[in-house]
């Protein structure tokens, strides 16, 4: 059902009153032309909705320029400079994504279900932690693509949505954006619930409300006809809502994390592979990727190569398996390969760091430093002792099913079942809070306490920096009338135990070690 075509959703011809009888012959010729000009995915989608008017429009169109006079409108441009490719470059999900005009209309037609204080017309998705740049009407992390023939822009998710963060020195300071950092404010669960919940609600999302919203947004031309396709869009997304709803949870994930294993099982593998336990996990940092080539990736070290994990994300985000834009994804990866971890932007005490470095060499380097003999090794769960759900969510059968996925130009073989969590570099660790794979420990200083002394309840989603304990401010419950997300270690998958390294040092030594960690 994911492949249900959006061309079929939006082809305007079927709306026209008194249209001519469909002529099968014309459609055959038109589909052939579409295939020739725009490739198989477009042709298949076009065929589903072809009638006499659509065929006529298609046959009157000529191929765009390209090799041999043909071009694939579904080919994916690589944006320049590469930072733009990272922010807005496509991973293919925009081939069958929501039309941009609909995405922008949703906050208007469902304004009353937006988080408190959000403005439906101005940067509405900021309320879910998405980051807008000046002059852009969609946040960082959305790619767009113009549909052949119709000129309607479709949208899709891209990597920077979860992997770009902001930091404020104080609640009133300007926000500074960091590429490659985990977006600790982005609540993908709340965002999807809002979006898909709105579409499913015919009282709010219907031809007449959309028409009004399009007036406010100044949407004209063919796109206006989308209003009358609201029922079709509902059908198109119902399946996604059901899939998301099938992932086992123990309450909302909150910002900065999602249940990536559950979501992959729900969207790609099938119900029999759905994990039985909730396993919400933090978005990791993704800078400095060149150093990681040849080593395991993911919190449990289950992924062997960046290519495989990136394609898995792309098809999970709705990219058709036979139309994964490998070059565009490789360009994003190229950017991340060379992206350095950002330097700590606040004051550092050089005397303390010298002492801290000595402690780090003794207590931590074996697992976390270049040259350490356990760096890039999976540390067995019995040894590291952190929450087991992320590990238990992955079944050998699920791994086999993932390794059987394939599409045009790619196939998987490197995913494997592991028995613990990966010891990885601590590069840019100051910006990776909250800590551990499930984000259960708010600051570095807390991680150095024995588990019983780590906070059992704290608040996530604040980007104000806590330079004292090193992490984000986690004891403030709300800001501007909007609550931060309450994290409770008692919930399934939220355990904050384990990783008892450096926990018996003196308080002064812990402070020195934390000071040194700022420099990594
Ligand atoms: C919806 C949020 C989301 C999007 C979009 C997303 N990621 Fe991630 N990414 C995650 C999460 C969550 C993990 C942790 C997965 C795990 O370990 O189970 C992750 C893991 C990673 C890792 C592994 C890091 C490590 O050190 O183990 C890399 C690299 C990465 N993502 C890059 C990308 C790229 C490139 C894209 C686009 C093709 C992308 N991500 C899109 C959420 C996202
Ligand atoms: C025996 C190996 C080992 C030693 C020694 C070790 N760690 Fe770790 N560390 C790990 C593993 C494995 C993880 C991932 C655990 C998880 O996420 O559940 C981890 C995770 C972390 C994280 C969280 C990373 C993130 O992105 O959230 C930090 C911070 C960290 N370690 C700091 C330290 C410090 C500081 C020391 C020394 C006092 C230390 N570690 C000693 C194995 C080790």
């Amino acid at each position: 059902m994911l492949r249900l075509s959006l061309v079929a959703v939006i082809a305007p011809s079927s709306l026209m009153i008194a249209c001519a009888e469909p002529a099968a012959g014309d459609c055959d010729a038109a589909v052939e032309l579409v295939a020739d000009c725009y490739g198989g995915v477009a042709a298949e989608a076009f065929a589903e909705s072809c009638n006499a008017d659509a065929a006529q429009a298609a046959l009157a169109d000529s191929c765009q320029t390209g090799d041999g006079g043909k071009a694939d409108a579904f080919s994916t441009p690589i944006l320049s400079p590469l930072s733009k490719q990272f922010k807005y470059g496509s991973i293919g999900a925009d081939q069958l994504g929501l039309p941009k005009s609909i995405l922008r209309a949703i906050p208007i037609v469902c304004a009353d279900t937006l988080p408190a204080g959000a403005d439906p017309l101005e940067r509405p998705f900021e309320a879910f932690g998405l980051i807008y740049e000046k002059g852009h009407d969609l946040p960082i992390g959305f790619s767009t693509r113009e549909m052949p023939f119709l000129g309607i822009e479709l949208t899709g998710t891209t990597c920077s949505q979860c992997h770009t963060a902001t930091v404020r020195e104080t609640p009133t300071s300007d926000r500074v954006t960091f590429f490659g950092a985990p977006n600790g404010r982005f609540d993908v669960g709340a965002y999807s619930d809002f979006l898909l919940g709105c579409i499913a609600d015919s009282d709010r999302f219907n031809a007449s409300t959309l028409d009004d919203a399009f007036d406010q947004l100044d949407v004209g031309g063919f796109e206006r006809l989308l209003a009358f396709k609201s029922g079709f869009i509902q059908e198109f997304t119902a399946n996604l809502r059901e899939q998301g709803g099938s992932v086992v949870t123990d309450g909302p994930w909150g910002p900065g994390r999602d249940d990536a294993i559950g979501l992959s099982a729900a969207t790609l593998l099938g119900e029999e592979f759905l994990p039985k336990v909730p396993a919400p996990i933090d978005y990791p940092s993704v800078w400095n990727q060149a150093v990681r080539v040849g080593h395991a990736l993911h919190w449990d070290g289950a992924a062997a190569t960046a290519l495989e994990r990136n394609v898995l994300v792309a098809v999970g985000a709705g990219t058709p398996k036979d139309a994964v834009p490998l070059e565009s994804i490789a360009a994003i990866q190229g950017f991340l390969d060379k992206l350095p971890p950002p330097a700590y932007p606040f004051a550092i005490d050089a005397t303390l760091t010298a002492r801290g470095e000595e402690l780090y060499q003794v207590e931590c380097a074996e697992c976390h430093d270049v040259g350490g003999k356990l760096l890039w090794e999976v540390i067995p769960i019995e040894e590291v002792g952190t929450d087991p759900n992320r590990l238990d969510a992955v079944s050998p059968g699920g791994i086999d099913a993932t390794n059987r996925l394939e599409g045009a130009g790619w196939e998987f073989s490197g995913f494997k079942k592991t028995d613990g969590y990966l010891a990885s570099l601590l590069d840019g660790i100051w910006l990776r809070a909250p800590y551990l794979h499930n984000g259960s420990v708010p600051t570095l200083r807390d991680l150095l306490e024995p588990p019983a002394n780590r906070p059992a309840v704290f608040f996530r989603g604040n980007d104000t920096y806590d330079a004292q304990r090193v992490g984000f401010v986690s004891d403030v419950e709300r800001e501007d009338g909007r609550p931060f997300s309450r994290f409770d270690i008692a919930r399934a998958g939220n355990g904050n135990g384990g990783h008892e390294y450096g926990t018996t040092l003196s308080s002064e030594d812990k402070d020195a070690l934390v000071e040194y960690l700022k420099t990594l």
Side-chain angles (χ1 to χ4, degrees):
M1 271 309 270
L2 252 187
R3 308 234 12 222
L4 186 95
S5 132
L6 261 176
V7 177
V9 173
I10 59 194
S13 40
S14 56
L15 295 168
M16 291 172 184
I17 312 159
C19 50
E21 277 297 296
D26 285 352
C27 271
D28 288 349
V31 168
E32 206 173 300
L33 179 80
V34 174
D36 221 26
C37 293
Y38 298 109
V41 174
E44 206 179 292
F46 182 81
E48 279 182 41
S49 66
C50 186
N51 63 13
D53 295 316
Q56 205 180 0
L59 289 167
D61 197 83
S62 56
C63 287
Q64 291 160 12
T65 52
D67 285 345
K70 295 174 186 173
D72 185 349
F74 280 77
S75 76
T76 303
I78 292 172
L79 308 178
S80 172
L82 276 186
S83 56
K84 189 171 175 198
Q85 170 72 5
F86 174 67
K87 286 184 283 187
Y88 303 108
S90 174
I91 60 172
D94 47 17
Q95 293 170 76
L96 299 177
L98 275 183
K100 180 171 158 183
S101 49
I102 293 283
L103 187 61
R104 293 183 61 218
I106 285 172
I108 300 175
V109 303
C110 286
D112 57 331
T113 64
L114 272 174
D119 182 338
L121 281 165
E122 271 298 309
R123 306 180 165 216
F125 299 126
E126 216 163 52
F128 299 102
L130 288 166
I131 304 162
Y132 288 80
E133 290 189 294
K134 250 204 181 88
H136 289 256
D137 49 17
L138 289 181
I140 289 177
F142 287 85
S143 67
T144 57
R145 155 186 322 249
E146 208 171 288
M147 290 300 294
F149 302 115
L150 306 174
I152 290 174
E153 261 186 300
L154 301 186
T155 63
T157 293
T158 190
C159 315
S160 48
Q161 204 168 76
C162 303
H163 295 302
T164 302
T166 54
V167 176
R168 292 177 292 174
E169 187 170 7
T170 71
T172 52
S173 312
D174 285 342
R175 293 196 147 105
V176 180
T177 302
F178 291 92
F179 297 148
N183 187 350
R185 288 198 296 141
F186 176 41
D187 191 336
V188 68
Y191 168 76
S192 313
D193 284 351
F194 165 74
L195 202 72
L196 299 176
C198 178
I199 293 174
D201 177 353
S202 312
D203 288 337
R204 293 187 174 85
F205 186 88
N206 57 48
S208 126
T209 56
L210 284 173
D211 212 37
D212 288 348
F214 286 162
D215 278 343
Q216 294 184 51
L217 292 169
D218 236 347
V219 170
F222 267 159
E223 305 222 35
R224 282 208 80 94
L225 297 172
L226 286 172
F228 300 97
K229 289 287 187 176
S230 57
F232 215 123
I233 292 173
Q234 273 160 350
E235 259 173 59
F236 178 69
T237 52
N239 191 44
L240 286 175
R241 192 157 184 247
E242 202 174 298
Q243 286 172 344
S246 68
V247 176
V248 179
T249 66
D250 183 13
W253 301 326
R257 51 185 211 156
D258 67 19
D259 193 327
I261 303 302
L263 286 172
S264 298
T267 52
L268 296 171
L269 305 182
E271 239 169 74
E272 69 267 38
F273 299 109
L274 272 177
K276 308 269 185 300
V277 291
I281 44 160
D282 268 35
Y283 312 142
S285 63
V286 296
W287 46 62
N288 219 3
Q289 288 294 305
V291 179
R292 289 165 164 85
V293 174
H295 304 298
L297 290 164
H298 280 178
W299 290 110
D300 60 347
T305 67
L307 177 72
E308 291 198 352
R309 56 136 289 109
N310 291 346
V311 172
L312 184 67
V313 174
V315 293
T319 302
K321 291 201 184 75
D322 289 333
V324 178
L326 295 168
E327 285 177 15
S328 180
I329 293 175
I332 294 173
Q333 184 64 32
F335 176 76
L336 297 177
D337 280 347
K338 297 202 190 85
L339 182 68
Y344 186 77
F346 311 116
I348 295 182
D349 180 331
T351 324
L352 264 189
T353 58
R355 169 73 187 135
E357 180 168 12
E358 287 168 23
L359 294 161
Y360 172 80
Q361 290 304 335
V362 176
E363 306 279 341
C364 324
E366 182 187 29
C367 286
H368 287 303
D369 216 60
V370 178
K373 79 173 192 304
L374 295 176
L375 180 70
W376 309 128
E377 296 294 324
V378 169
I379 308 299
I381 186 74
E382 303 80 42
E383 154 70 25
V384 66
T386 52
D387 191 284
N389 277 23
R390 166 65 179 78
L391 202 57
D392 295 344
V394 176
S395 64
I399 291 285
D400 290 346
T402 307
N403 279 327
R404 282 196 299 272
L405 294 173
E406 58 179 355
W410 61 273
E411 57 183 4
F412 292 156
S413 62
F415 291 96
K416 58 179 191 292
K417 175 69 189 153
T418 71
D419 63 356
Y421 295 114
L422 187 71
S424 185
L425 276 185
L426 299 181
D427 48 352
I429 195 68
W430 70 271
L431 190 45
R432 287 159 53 177
Y435 296 101
L436 298 181
H437 70 274
N438 57 357
S440 57
V441 182
T443 67
L444 285 177
R445 190 62 180 73
D446 291 316
L447 186 63
L448 293 178
E449 293 298 325
N453 294 349
R454 297 171 185 168
V457 167
F458 62 96
F459 295 89
R460 293 183 50 136
N462 198 336
D463 63 347
T464 308
Y465 206 72
D466 178 350
Q468 206 62 43
R469 302 190 69 78
V470 186
F472 294 102
V473 169
S474 58
D475 57 357
V476 173
E477 291 185 32
R478 52 177 56 237
E479 184 176 76
D480 296 338
R482 204 177 292 159
F484 290 112
S485 169
R486 184 176 188 276
F487 188 101
D488 186 340
I489 62 159
R491 270 175 40 191
N494 280 6
N496 70 347
H499 197 278
E500 297 190 45
Y501 307 111
T503 51
T504 58
L505 294 172
S506 70
S507 185
E508 293 72 36
D509 279 350
K510 286 176 184 174
D511 290 344
L513 179 53
V514 163
E515 199 67 12
Y516 173 69
L517 294 174
K518 292 176 178 175
T519 68
L520 297 179

